[in-house]
């Protein structure tokens, strides 16, 4: 009897010890795992690489060194490049290039960044871009810092129209993202770019949100965001006040969604200008829940004569206009300078363009202007629930079209120039 009880006790103790051992090894295993996880994020503070942040010292070399360290950190790590709060870093033109070893690189912009204060600071640099990120996958640029391009330096002698590269009036883009996948850009304030504030080109899978872009209404060519040759781009919840297009989508772009944008002053949200000297393709664009305030154009599709290719499946939904100059515009005769424009019968083919749930006021009596090319026309335009009135109560407004095909319902002002 005693003997059996003793044996069972030994069995029980063995079992308990075995279970304890299992739990302990599990705990150790997960502890060492979590330590690996913690260690896999490495912080690279530009200040520890020598950046002064006094607004006067050229901090570009320090930024370059911090970037190279962050970009070359061990694979599978997450690098965080920190631009600390409460300081202003002066940067000359800098190119942050990949590919990087970590699968994601996070740039935390808490402090401010300013551009060169004199044009002579640009001597010896490629003058097309101030800050560029290229070939970096899994890049996030985020924070409450401000990026100031010192635009006034460039605006006085700006080119008219689309500035040809290499001319002295050709001002740089402030921030350029090129050949990227998985870009996230959010929270920052961008002010006074020499030319375009943010260009996104040859990228895939991009989310831009909660930005504030500010430049004077009179500043030349200061587009807010340009998207070119990129796919799966989502731009949302941002304030954009500039001297040119708030957002422009150009050739090679598809699956672009824009929403929650407060635009104005500026030239509105544009597709184009497309087809300048060649073929362009743009498709699957949605602009939704945006407000335009005192902008020169509202929603606009513009193309040069003589181009080829197409723009199709473009929709504008839930748009509000407040004292806008040309609320709804398709212009296939785009020629901003009225010079050097060819008269050509070839044109970009526009189709499947819809406008719905659009309301507001216009500064001009012409509130809808669909000017399509004679040779290819615009096809399948649909307008539904579009109500635009004059800022002057009771004043008559009108819609107008040439070579446009489609149908309208619940539209005011009513117009009947659309062909079936
Ligand atoms: C529309 O955009 C505004 C910002 O302009 C945002 O606050 C609001 O939540 C958005 N509404 C919807 C239905 O997405
Ligand atoms: C049109 O574009 C939207 C995105 O704006 C997309 O969801 C939809 O699938 C496209 N339609 C077609 C027929 O491609
Ligand atoms: C409509 O747009 C075309 C092309 O830009 C322009 O020539 C024409 O003057 C505009 N019409 C009105 C009434 O604004
Ligand atoms: C294009 O045509 C317009 C009138 O249709 C004319 O005034 C202009 O001179 C022409 N431009 C060229 C470059 O031929």
């Amino acid at each position: 009897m005693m003997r059996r009880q003793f044996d069972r006790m030994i069995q029980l103790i063995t079992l308990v010890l075995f279970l304890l051992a299992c739990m302990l090894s599990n705990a150790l295993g997960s502890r060492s795992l979590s330590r690996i996880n913690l260690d896999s994020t490495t912080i690279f503070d530009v200040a520890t690489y020598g950046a002064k942040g006094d607004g006067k010292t050229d901090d570009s070399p320090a930024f370059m060194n911090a970037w190279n360290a962050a970009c070359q950190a061990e694979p599978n790590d997450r690098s965080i490049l920190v631009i600390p709060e409460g300081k202003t870093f002066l940067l000359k033109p800098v190119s942050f290039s990949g590919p990087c070893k970590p699968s994601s690189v996070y740039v935390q912009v808490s402090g401010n960044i300013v551009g060169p204060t004199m044009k002579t600071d640009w001597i010896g640099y490629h003058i097309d871009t101030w800050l560029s990120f290229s070939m970096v996958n899994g890049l996030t640029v985020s924070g409450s810092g401000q990026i100031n391009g010192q635009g006034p330096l460039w605006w006085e002698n700006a080119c008219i129209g689309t500035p040809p590269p290499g001319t002295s009036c050709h001002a740089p883009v402030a921030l350029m993202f090129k050949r990227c996948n998985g870009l996230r850009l959010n929270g920052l304030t961008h002010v006074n770019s020499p030319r375009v504030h943010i260009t996104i080109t040859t990228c895939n899978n991009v989310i831009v949100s909660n930005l504030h872009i500010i430049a004077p209404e009179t500043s030349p060519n200061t587009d807010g965001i340009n998207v070119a040759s990129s796919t799966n781009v989502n731009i949302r919840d941002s304030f954009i006040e500039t001297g040119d297009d708030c957002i422009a989508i150009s050739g090679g772009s598809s699956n672009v969604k824009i929403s929650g944008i407060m635009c104005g002053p500026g030239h509105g949200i544009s597709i184009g200008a497309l087809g300048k000297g060649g073929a362009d393709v743009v498709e699957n664009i949605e602009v939704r829940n945006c407000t335009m305030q005192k902008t020169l154009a509202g929603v606009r599709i513009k193309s040069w004569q003589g181009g080829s290719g197409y723009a199709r499946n473009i929709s504008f939904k839930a748009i509000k206009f407040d004292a806008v100059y040309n609320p709804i515009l398709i212009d296939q005769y785009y020629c901003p300078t009225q010079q050097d424009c060819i008269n050509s019968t070839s044109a970009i083919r526009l189709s499947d363009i819809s406008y719905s749930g659009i309301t507001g006021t216009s500064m001009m009596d012409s509130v809808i202007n669909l000017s399509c090319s004679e040779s290819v026309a615009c096809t399948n335009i649909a307008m539904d629930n579009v109500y635009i009135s004059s800022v002057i109560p009771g004043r008559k407004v009108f819609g107008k079209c040439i070579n446009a095909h489609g149908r309208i319902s619940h539209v005011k002002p009513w117009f009947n120039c659309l062909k079936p």
Side-chain angles (χ1 to χ4, degrees):
M1 212 46 162
M2 285 286 281
R3 179 73 205 213
R4 265 182 65 191
Q5 272 182 352
F6 183 75
D7 278 354
R8 281 191 59 181
M9 229 171 87
I10 293 290
Q11 273 174 9
L12 223 108
I13 288 169
T14 316
L15 188 70
V16 166
L17 279 177
F18 176 76
L19 283 175
L20 266 174
C22 283
M23 279 163 68
L24 202 69
S25 83
N26 257 341
L28 277 175
S30 64
R31 229 189 65 181
S32 56
L33 257 180
S34 79
R35 207 176 65 213
I36 288 167
N37 275 341
L38 273 177
D39 283 356
S40 70
T41 292
T42 318
I43 291 175
F44 302 86
D45 188 329
V46 294
T48 63
Y49 287 81
K52 291 274 184 295
D54 58 8
K56 295 196 286 276
T57 311
D58 176 13
D59 286 326
S60 322
F63 271 61
M64 260 346 288
N65 290 337
W67 171 260
N68 288 335
C71 183
Q72 295 309 317
E74 277 316 297
N76 301 319
D77 283 1
R78 189 168 104 119
S79 282
I80 306 185
L81 182 84
V82 172
I83 298 161
E85 197 177 352
K87 294 190 168 171
T88 297
F89 300 91
L90 171 67
L91 296 186
K92 287 196 173 181
V94 190
S95 170
F96 302 100
S97 308
C100 294
K101 286 184 181 168
S103 51
S104 70
V105 180
Y106 194 105
V107 179
Q108 173 70 43
V109 187
S110 299
N112 299 331
I113 296 174
V114 295
T117 47
M118 290 178 298
K119 272 196 180 175
T120 49
D121 291 336
W122 288 78
I123 291 171
Y125 290 97
H126 189 255
I127 215 153
D128 204 50
T129 311
W130 173 36
L131 306 172
S132 78
F133 289 88
S134 53
M135 290 185 286
V136 186
N137 292 338
L139 173 68
T140 298
V141 178
S142 175
S144 56
Q146 189 190 80
I147 298 185
N148 180 342
Q150 308 278 19
L153 202 61
W154 298 89
W155 297 338
E156 234 169 69
N157 174 35
C159 301
I160 311 289
T162 309
T167 48
S168 66
C169 65
H170 184 78
V173 168
L175 181 59
M176 166 101 76
F177 298 95
K178 206 161 41 178
R179 297 176 67 183
C180 59
N181 201 328
L183 171 68
R184 302 290 177 266
L185 172 66
N186 63 68
L188 279 72
T189 300
H190 303 257
V191 304
N192 294 350
S193 174
R195 189 161 52 102
V196 178
H197 285 78
I198 299 163
T199 293
I200 296 163
T201 181
T202 51
C203 288
N204 178 36
N205 179 11
V206 175
I207 302 176
V208 175
S209 60
N210 298 101
L211 299 188
H212 205 146
I213 302 177
I214 316 165
E217 190 172 1
T218 52
S219 59
N221 309 317
T222 52
D223 286 359
I225 303 172
N226 276 6
V227 177
S229 305
S230 296
T231 54
N232 302 314
V233 178
N234 190 332
I235 302 174
R236 60 180 188 234
D237 305 325
S238 296
F239 289 86
I240 308 180
E241 312 161 35
T242 71
D244 208 314
D245 293 338
C246 288
I247 299 175
I249 312 288
S250 32
S253 301
S254 61
N255 300 327
V256 179
K257 284 196 159 75
I258 296 170
S259 66
I261 305 296
M262 277 290 304
C263 164
H267 295 185
I269 294 179
S270 295
I271 317 286
L274 302 173
K276 183 161 198 198
D280 269 328
V281 168
V282 168
E283 65 186 329
N284 307 343
I285 312 290
E286 183 190 270
V287 180
R288 179 198 280 270
N289 184 32
C290 295
T291 301
M292 320 273 159
Q293 216 159 32
K294 300 188 173 63
T295 48
L296 219 53
V299 291
R300 155 166 86 151
I301 301 173
K302 51 188 179 178
S303 67
W304 301 83
Q305 289 186 71
S308 61
Y310 57 83
R312 66 187 180 200
N313 187 22
I314 298 168
S315 65
F316 300 99
K317 298 175 184 161
I319 310 288
K320 286 199 183 70
F321 295 124
D322 175 11
V324 164
Y325 282 83
N326 292 280
I328 294 181
L329 191 57
I330 292 180
D331 183 1
Q332 289 218 279
Y333 302 89
Y334 186 65
C335 182
T337 57
Q338 301 303 327
Q339 292 169 26
D340 310 326
C341 294
I342 53 168
N343 285 343
S344 173
T345 52
S346 76
I348 297 274
R349 201 170 286 279
L350 298 185
S351 63
D352 307 312
I353 299 163
S354 71
Y355 302 85
S356 63
I358 297 184
T359 58
T361 57
S362 171
M363 290 295 282
M364 310 252 280
D365 300 341
S366 163
V367 300
I368 297 166
N369 183 356
L370 312 175
S371 293
C372 301
S373 152
E374 197 176 338
S375 52
V376 301
C378 305
T379 53
N380 197 19
I381 293 178
M383 249 185 224
D384 184 31
N385 280 292
V386 173
Y387 301 100
I388 305 170
S389 57
S390 171
V391 280
I392 302 164
R395 192 177 166 94
K396 237 176 130 67
V397 293
F398 61 92
K400 179 182 176 284
C401 43
I402 52 168
N403 309 316
H405 297 255
R407 66 208 139 72
I408 64 174
S409 64
H410 306 99
V411 171
K412 223 175 159 180
W414 186 257
F415 60 100
N416 53 18
C417 49
L418 272 186
K419 298 172 196 161

